[in-house]
Amino acid sequence: MITKILTNTAEGIETAAEYIKSGKTVVFPTETVYGLGANALDENAVKKIFEAKGRPSDNPLIVHISSIEMLDDIAENISDDAKKLMDKFWPGPLTLIFKKKANIPNNVTAGLSTVAVRFPSSNTAYELIEKAGVPIAAPSANLSGKPSPTRFSHSYEDLNGRVDAMIKGESCEVGVESTVLDVSGDTPVLLRPGKITLEKIQTLLSEVVVGSSELSDNQTPMSPGMKYKHYAPKAEVIILKGSKPQIKEYIKNEIDEKLNDSAEKKISVLTFKENVAEFSDLCTTVSFGSLTDSSEVMSNLFNSLRELDDMDVDIIYAPEISDIGEWRAVQNRLYKAAGGNIIDLNEAAVTAQAEKISESDNIAAAVNENSITEIIDEEKAENNSEEELKTILFICTGNTCRSPMAEGIFNAEAEKEGIPFRASSAGTYAYNNLPVSENSEKAMREIGLDISKHKSRQITRTMLSQADLILTMTEEHTEFLNTVVPEHSKKIMTVAKYIDLDISVEDPYGNNLDEYIRCRNQLQKIIKLIIMKLKKNGGC
Ligand code: TXA
Ligand code: MG
């Protein structure tokens, strides 16, 4: 098939619209990624999309519209929540899932009773739909399984000769696919994170559930696309969790081993602009933007993965990414590219420290001398009060996953060991009175602890001043608390810092049970050591 390349002009778009009307396929730019479109009301035209991409037929497509009237033709039962979201975020990078009307062919929705709809803000996309006069079904314009295309050249490389026409347009500003939110049921479910963040959606809706991206074999996927290993470059992507020195050390060792191994794999690092210098003397290093600019990283991510593929690297080491705001979308795409390939250098460090301590009679030789009792005595002298039980406050972000587990583990151990400490927990950005996350509860139940009664709490000044020791999950939490209550900075540190380790306990929020169990295991190990230290230091 000869693919017609069209310019991004009124004339080019007019021609593309004619192609769509006559049942042909057209690649076009949108603000998120390039799309591969066809008339959404024409079953035969839609079939060509699946063929061109090599897309499994059980993965439904997003239908693109250019007016709310078009929505009324294809979807029904538009809820009040959905209307609020449409008012605020359309046109833009948010896809909503509704109950479908009968005129949408079955192959668009892969037989589901719902349809995904998006009103793009890109001018070219808008003009194309307007001129074609029909809704356009379009997945990302890449070969199935490859990173989504954010430049014309990406789509050209994947689909030239496989589609009828392509509009050569601008690079995509957003750079990751739209946020997908299912509003067809009682509670909205976030199926794919994107530029329109969970936090932004939460400002409009009273309840949003984060869909699980992991599926067991017999489960029907909520969003069929989630079961496929998407966004994968040819190279193997591996996420390294740990501090910069840990990561550098690990990569150094890998390179030495690989070179000895005549296999000679070409190793590369994908990282933040600020960290490039750290690795560039070791191996090929590509930056995808600044640590402080999630929009920049989002817009460069897929291009960087393709760039590394062009350099023929075999392994791409990438950093772990937080799930706050837009970072959640970056995390999601990068973790999918890695297909679950995550190496936790922190966990290895905890295990090594635990071994060191258990081998040693003298705990003080293994952990630092920074004594909790000294800190407490000082605080007590200032407050001039005596209390029976000393209190430890565990802090995470939402107080529904990590810190409630830490609290539960600590209290059970403290009681068993007979030390006069009790723990509570709170979050830096928490809602009050939310139940503990289901997976945290399950992970704790597995070790015989029941934390189902826990209710989330937002930190308060009183809470922070009353606690004898405040232990956070990550340095970010510590930094945050230090800006809120600098007067208490002496008693604030990460759980790991207290046992002299430079690691963080990462958030399993939104992940599957395995991640929660990993997190629980990490907390169990750390807290055992904390309690050993408290005992040793004469806490009782
Ligand atoms: O930004 C975007 O959304 C881009 C541009 C071209 O608009 N499109 C895009 O389409 O990313 P695609 O096909 O690569 O991803 C569509 C996602 C898939 O994960 C699919 O499973 C999900 O949306 N989806 C589509 N219809 C659905 C439905 N009825 N229920 C649940 N998930 C659905
Ligand atoms: Mg796609």
Side-chain angles (χ1 to χ4, degrees), residues 271-519:
T271 190
F272 299 105
K273 188 159 75 193
E274 291 84 351
N275 296 342
V276 165
E278 193 82 30
F279 304 104
S280 53
D281 57 333
L282 288 178
C283 59
T284 305
T285 308
V286 165
S287 149
F288 55 8
S290 169
L291 261 171
T292 58
D293 190 345
S294 52
S295 299
E296 183 188 21
V297 173
M298 218 189 244
S299 108
N300 289 335
L301 176 65
F302 289 137
N303 188 51
S304 303
L305 290 175
R306 283 186 183 247
E307 220 177 280
L308 283 159
D309 260 353
D310 291 342
M311 295 180 198
D312 275 329
V313 303
D314 300 295
I315 294 178
I316 301 171
Y317 288 117
E320 66 175 322
I321 307 280
S322 93
D323 62 2
I324 295 170
E326 293 181 351
W327 292 111
R328 179 183 287 271
V330 177
Q331 184 198 62
N332 171 274
R333 305 310 192 272
L334 203 49
Y335 281 30
K336 278 197 169 178
N341 222 337
I342 299 173
I343 297 176
D344 190 341
L345 302 172
N346 287 335
E347 201 170 303
V350 177
T351 310
Q353 187 76 337
E355 272 165 19
K356 205 164 136 197
I357 289 175
S358 65
E359 276 166 16
S360 163
D361 289 338
N362 182 0
I363 293 162
V367 297
N368 72 20
E369 282 293 357
N370 172 13
S371 156
I372 171 67
T373 40
E374 274 168 31
I375 297 169
I376 291 172
D377 289 346
E378 263 179 58
E379 289 267 331
K380 282 281 147 63
E382 278 167 26
N383 295 343
N384 204 13
S385 70
E386 248 341 298
E387 268 173 20
E388 259 286 285
L389 282 177
K390 286 153 192 159
T391 57
I392 294 188
L393 180 62
F394 288 104
I395 299 284
C396 67
T397 311
N399 191 220
T400 57
C401 303
R402 288 170 289 181
S403 58
M405 290 203 283
E407 176 188 336
I409 294 167
F410 184 93
N411 284 336
E413 281 292 316
E415 201 170 327
K416 206 163 78 194
E417 297 292 332
I419 59 169
F421 286 88
R422 284 303 171 266
S424 59
S425 63
T428 51
Y429 291 100
Y431 291 101
N432 281 319
N433 291 322
L434 287 184
V436 69
S437 80
E438 206 182 314
N439 279 339
S440 287
E441 198 190 320
K442 277 190 196 153
M444 292 291 281
R445 213 178 282 284
E446 260 195 25
I447 54 167
L449 297 177
D450 178 5
I451 56 167
S452 62
K453 301 262 168 355
H454 174 82
K455 292 272 178 279
S456 68
R457 300 190 303 169
Q458 165 70 11
I459 47 164
T460 62
R461 218 162 261 285
T462 318
M463 228 183 251
L464 295 170
S465 72
Q466 283 175 352
D468 294 303
L469 179 67
I470 300 173
L471 297 178
T472 68
M473 299 299 130
T474 70
E475 283 299 342
E476 285 77 37
H477 294 132
T478 302
E479 273 165 34
F480 176 78
L481 293 180
N482 281 338
T483 60
V484 183
V485 282
E487 68 275 23
H488 295 308
S489 62
K490 251 190 297 177
K491 64 179 183 185
I492 304 171
M493 66 195 88
T494 64
V495 277
K497 199 63 162 204
Y498 187 67
I499 51 161
D500 211 17
L501 278 174
D502 240 348
I503 62 173
S504 46
V505 177
E506 291 306 330
D507 197 353
Y509 182 65
N511 286 313
N512 62 2
L513 183 59
D514 287 351
E515 277 301 307
Y516 280 77
I517 290 172
R518 249 161 57 126
C519 180

Side-chain angles (χ1 to χ4, degrees), residues 101-329:
K101 280 192 177 162
N103 56 345
I104 290 288
N106 271 337
N107 60 352
V108 171
T109 61
L112 296 174
S113 59
T114 52
V115 60
V117 184
R118 173 157 123 72
F119 189 155
S121 61
S122 142
N123 276 334
T124 310
Y126 173 80
E127 294 285 329
L128 176 66
I129 307 161
E130 242 340 67
K131 290 198 168 126
V134 290
I136 296 182
S140 48
N142 52 302
L143 282 175
S144 216
K146 291 250 278 172
S148 286
T150 55
R151 311 264 195 279
F152 173 75
S153 59
H154 302 157
S155 286
Y156 185 81
E157 186 184 312
D158 282 11
L159 298 176
N160 182 36
R162 303 176 70 94
V163 297
D164 295 303
M166 301 177 114
I167 301 176
K168 184 174 179 179
E170 67 274 16
S171 296
C172 306
E173 200 188 317
V174 175
V176 300
E177 310 87 340
S178 59
T179 305
V180 179
L181 188 74
D182 187 345
V183 287
S184 68
D186 289 340
T187 309
V189 185
L190 179 72
L191 296 179
R192 181 172 74 182
K195 179 84 182 172
I196 306 297
T197 61
L198 175 64
E199 291 85 347
K200 282 189 200 156
I201 294 170
Q202 281 168 334
T203 61
L204 292 188
L205 308 185
S206 53
E207 203 190 351
V208 187
V209 173
V210 178
S212 158
S213 56
E214 297 295 326
L215 301 156
S216 60
D217 292 343
N218 55 1
Q219 234 179 327
T220 313
M222 283 201 282
S223 185
M226 284 180 159
K227 72 180 174 182
Y228 299 107
K229 179 179 165 181
H230 260 101
Y231 327 112
K234 281 176 271 174
E236 185 183 1
V237 179
I238 301 172
I239 312 279
L240 292 181
K241 284 192 177 186
S243 65
K244 247 190 286 179
Q246 281 175 327
I247 293 176
K248 192 162 182 183
E249 172 88 13
Y250 179 86
I251 294 176
K252 250 194 199 145
N253 286 338
E254 282 301 290
I255 289 175
D256 288 348
E257 268 178 35
K258 294 277 145 58
L259 289 180
N260 294 339
D261 217 31
S262 57
E264 269 205 34
K265 288 221 168 134
K266 191 167 169 193
I267 286 179
S268 69
V269 170
L270 173 63
T271 190
F272 299 105
K273 188 159 75 193
E274 291 84 351
N275 296 342
V276 165
E278 193 82 30
F279 304 104
S280 53
D281 57 333
L282 288 178
C283 59
T284 305
T285 308
V286 165
S287 149
F288 55 8
S290 169
L291 261 171
T292 58
D293 190 345
S294 52
S295 299
E296 183 188 21
V297 173
M298 218 189 244
S299 108
N300 289 335
L301 176 65
F302 289 137
N303 188 51
S304 303
L305 290 175
R306 283 186 183 247
E307 220 177 280
L308 283 159
D309 260 353
D310 291 342
M311 295 180 198
D312 275 329
V313 303
D314 300 295
I315 294 178
I316 301 171
Y317 288 117
E320 66 175 322
I321 307 280
S322 93
D323 62 2
I324 295 170
E326 293 181 351
W327 292 111
R328 179 183 287 271

Side-chain angles (χ1 to χ4, degrees), residues 48-108:
K48 293 179 193 165
I49 294 178
F50 286 93
E51 284 162 11
K53 269 188 70 109
R55 183 181 178 102
S57 61
D58 62 351
N59 193 4
L61 307 179
I62 294 174
V63 177
H64 297 68
I65 57 170
S66 59
S67 68
I68 300 295
E69 291 76 65
M70 255 186 199
L71 175 69
D72 293 334
D73 291 341
I74 57 180
E76 55 195 13
N77 296 349
I78 316 286
S79 65
D80 288 342
D81 276 351
K83 284 182 189 146
K84 277 192 224 161
L85 294 162
M86 285 151 54
D87 268 353
K88 174 107 182 179
F89 300 117
W90 275 9
L94 173 69
T95 295
L96 295 173
I97 293 179
F98 302 105
K99 287 265 171 291
K100 90 176 187 90
K101 280 192 177 162
N103 56 345
I104 290 288
N106 271 337
N107 60 352
V108 171

